[in-house]
Amino acid sequence: MIHALTLILICQLAGETVTRLAGWPIPGPVLGMAMLFALMLANARLAGLIVPTGAGILRHLSLLFVPAAVGVVGHLPTLAANGLGVALALIVSTVLALAVGAGTFVLVARLTGGRSDA
Amino acid sequence: MRDFTEIWSYLAGDPLLWLCATLVAYVLGDAASRTVGRAPWMNPVLVAAILLGLLLWLTGTSYATYFEGAQFVHFLLGPATVALAVPLWTQRHALRPALLPIIAALLAGSATAVLSALAIGHAMGLSPQLLATLAPKSTTAPVALGISEGLGGSPTLTAVLVILTGIIGAIVVTPLMNALRIRDWRARGFATGVAAHGIGTARALQVHPQAGAFAGIGMALNAMLTALLAPWALGLF
């Protein structure tokens, strides 16, 4: 487990370093994810080592958003001033984006003959 | 025995108390979500945040003090994002045949998220600064903050809108997809990652492993695309 955790942190560090040096507009951990994925594809033994630890971290992914979500509480007065407009924009655009995204996926999958495992 | 207020003043300044409170609030939120069979409206992040918000308010604790303890949990977001490579690897054989649907759904979902939010905000008379703050709300938090700052928005408020968007997405996705009769877990997951970033991905991982893997890809790709798309979209309003 400690080896897997070390490798995950190294990928994050490498991702942060590269995105900062190159000035890319993507976050370091996202590049770190791509790096780890490439390493796992290249080496099945390494992948087997990472899987249980990675799955363990992700089992309670929701927990990791709690501290940031508590921060929302302090911003409620600012939000209340523009409450209706902001609430409407957030809710409607999220529903639309979900529907359009999933609909497009299904449509293109059908057109290109991609099989669904559902 | 020592005075309670004396013990409280010691504990309240200690990171352990708020770290512990964060975990307890999440365990309660998760238990509540489990009790209702993971019904989408009982979102564990939302429950935990409300409980902690009340606790901070009742004890007169500042968010900065709270965060000194909670930062240890917050820090794990980075490694957890890297760990999203795991579901991606597990689903690696499902990726290549889905390449075209992924590209199409990314472009359509990402553009819809940004343009519809700006159109509604504009119609509701939000200020240009608030529109810039709103534009990247479907993107994962670290990218959204950078985009908002670059456009002249308020990064702290963007963080709030990002979290709210994630919670909204995690709550509406299951009933919405059922209503639309979309049963393809790849499509459901991918759209969730694009529209509702990590909080949506956390929900997708809970519902179905394939949805979780595709949500992770959706979140990562949308982070890159929104960075390019948001400045252009804001110029339209």
Side-chain angles (χ1 to χ4, degrees):
Chain A
M1 189 197 131
I2 194 67
H3 294 113
L5 207 55
T6 307
L7 194 61
I8 288 171
L9 285 176
I10 288 175
C11 284
Q12 186 185 351
L13 185 62
E16 298 277 14
T17 310
V18 171
T19 51
R20 258 155 230 257
L21 282 180
W24 290 349
I26 59 166
V30 168
L31 184 63
M33 173 196 354
M35 288 174 171
L36 184 61
F37 181 53
L39 285 175
M40 291 172 84
L41 284 180
N43 188 328
R45 219 174 66 87
L46 187 106
L49 179 81
I50 299 287
V51 167
T53 304
I57 297 177
L58 293 178
R59 194 157 302 135
H60 287 287
L61 182 59
S62 294
L63 162 67
L64 313 186
F65 292 99
V66 171
V70 176
V72 173
V73 177
H75 279 88
L76 290 180
T78 330
L79 282 179
N82 296 288
L84 186 64
V86 171
L88 217 59
L90 290 184
I91 294 171
V92 176
S93 86
T94 305
V95 168
L96 281 178
L98 283 170
V100 170
T104 307
F105 193 108
V106 170
L107 193 72
V108 176
R110 204 168 291 159
L111 290 175
T112 55
R115 199 177 52 86
S116 141
D117 290 333
Chain B
M1 203 179 118
R2 279 206 194 170
D3 197 65
F4 176 74
T5 47
E6 204 179 317
I7 298 174
W8 172 255
S9 64
Y10 165 74
L11 281 179
D14 197 82
L16 178 63
L17 177 68
W18 297 112
L19 178 59
C20 195
T22 303
L23 284 160
V24 170
Y26 174 74
V27 166
L28 292 175
D30 193 53
S33 158
R34 212 184 297 258
T35 312
V36 296
R38 297 266 176 232
W41 47 269
M42 189 68 94
N43 183 272
V45 182
L46 187 62
V47 174
I50 292 172
L51 289 176
L52 288 164
L54 281 174
L55 187 63
L56 294 188
W57 180 67
L58 285 172
T59 57
T61 308
S62 73
Y63 183 67
T65 306
Y66 164 76
F67 198 77
E68 265 173 50
Q71 63 176 321
F72 301 107
V73 171
H74 183 77
F75 169 79
L76 288 174
L77 272 177
T81 305
V82 177
L84 284 171
V86 166
L88 203 55
W89 182 80
T90 317
Q91 293 289 329
R92 64 197 178 282
H93 302 300
L95 286 182
R96 196 164 302 165
L99 200 60
L100 283 177
I102 283 177
I103 294 170
L106 170 67
L107 292 172
S110 185
T112 307
V114 177
L115 290 173
S116 65
L118 289 177
I120 295 165
H122 184 72
M124 295 295 291
L126 300 187
S127 70
Q129 201 217 353
L130 204 48
L131 288 181
T133 306
L134 185 66
K137 52 95 189 139
S138 279
T139 320
T140 179
V143 191
L145 301 195
I147 296 173
S148 166
E149 201 164 24
L151 296 176
S154 150
T156 39
L157 192 55
T158 293
V160 172
L161 301 182
V162 166
I163 296 284
L164 289 175
T165 300
I167 293 176
I168 293 168
I171 290 176
V172 301
V173 63
T174 304
L176 179 69
M177 294 299 160
N178 289 343
L180 294 172
R181 291 160 199 246
I182 293 175
R183 293 186 196 89
D184 188 332
W185 287 114
R186 304 172 304 170
R188 292 172 73 128
F190 189 78
T192 310
V194 169
H197 57 87
I199 298 182
T201 302
R203 165 77 191 170
L205 279 167
Q206 228 166 36
V207 173
H208 194 277
Q210 196 171 44
F214 276 77
I217 315 169
M219 180 190 83
L221 293 178
N222 187 44
M224 301 178 207
L225 186 60
T226 309
L228 304 172
L229 207 64
W232 166 79
L234 193 65
L236 297 176
F237 292 91

